[in-house]
């Protein structure tokens, strides 16, 4: 079951996950409740705001090699009604304000982002996937 895995992930958060969690927790962003390393069916997502059906995922370099898995996972979450935002860890660590602005915009928007996601390796992953 993913519950034990989620607990382990919460204990071993990356620097990028810790940095963004510090800004998402305790309803600091638009008064929205976020959970970290939260189980949604068979997946454990990095962060989720259930009331706004928004998932925030942080990706390191290993995600370049698992594009098919990430795409399938995002498609599955969308079938459950979630919007999925993906950001590179480096963007969180070097430009967290822009990352948070994108999250705030998504929280305010009832639908998908009007911008298409960049192709893997082309620019920041600051739009929905």
């Amino acid at each position: 079951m993913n519950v034990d895995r989620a607990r382990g992930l919460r204990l071993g958060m990356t620097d990028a996950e810790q940095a963004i969690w510090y800004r998402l927790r305790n309803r600091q962003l638009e008064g929205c409740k976020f959970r970290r390393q939260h189980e949604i069916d068979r997946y454990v997502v990095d962060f989720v705001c259930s009331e706004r059906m928004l998932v925030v995922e942080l990706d390191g370099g290993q995600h370049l090699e698992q594009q098919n898995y990430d795409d399938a996972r995002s498609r599955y979450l969308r079938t459950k009604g979630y919007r999925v935002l993906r950001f590179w860890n480096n963007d969180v660590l070097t430009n967290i304000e822009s990352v948070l602005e994108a999250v705030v915009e998504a929280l305010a928007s009832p639908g998908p982002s009007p911008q298409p996601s960049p192709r893997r390796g082309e620019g920041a992953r600051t739009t929905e996937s």
Side-chain angles (χ1 to χ4, degrees):
M1 194 166 201
N2 284 336
V3 173
D4 292 331
R5 181 169 176 252
R7 283 187 190 128
L9 291 169
R10 281 192 294 273
L11 292 173
M13 288 179 20
T14 66
D15 290 345
E17 289 171 335
Q18 289 177 25
I20 200 166
W21 177 240
Y22 180 77
R23 303 292 293 274
L24 294 177
R25 64 191 209 116
N26 297 328
R27 298 183 183 270
Q28 293 180 80
L29 205 60
E30 300 296 304
C32 294
K33 168 88 172 154
F34 279 87
R35 296 182 182 278
R36 62 187 168 127
Q37 305 300 339
H38 185 72
E39 185 176 8
I40 299 176
D41 295 339
R42 64 182 178 252
Y43 297 110
V44 176
V45 300
D46 291 336
F47 305 96
V48 64
C49 175
S50 297
E51 65 193 57
R52 303 283 176 95
M53 299 296 285
L54 180 66
V55 169
V56 176
E57 293 279 61
L58 303 186
D59 295 341
Q62 77 278 9
H63 287 270
L64 285 171
E65 296 156 7
Q66 64 182 48
Q67 179 178 357
N68 291 339
Y69 173 81
D70 287 346
D71 291 345
R73 175 184 163 113
S74 292
R75 276 193 307 275
Y76 177 80
L77 292 168
R78 283 194 304 270
T79 67
K80 296 295 183 182
Y82 290 93
R83 291 175 292 146
V84 180
L85 293 181
R86 290 189 170 276
F87 301 96
W88 293 111
N89 286 345
N90 189 53
D91 290 330
V92 172
L93 294 172
T94 62
N95 196 5
I96 195 165
E97 293 305 322
S98 291
V99 169
L100 293 171
E101 285 176 26
V103 175
V104 167
E105 184 179 306
L107 288 169
S109 169
S113 171
Q115 303 172 356
S117 294
R119 290 183 175 192
R120 297 264 178 187
E122 293 182 10
R125 296 177 74 178
T126 58
T127 59
E128 292 184 43
S129 64

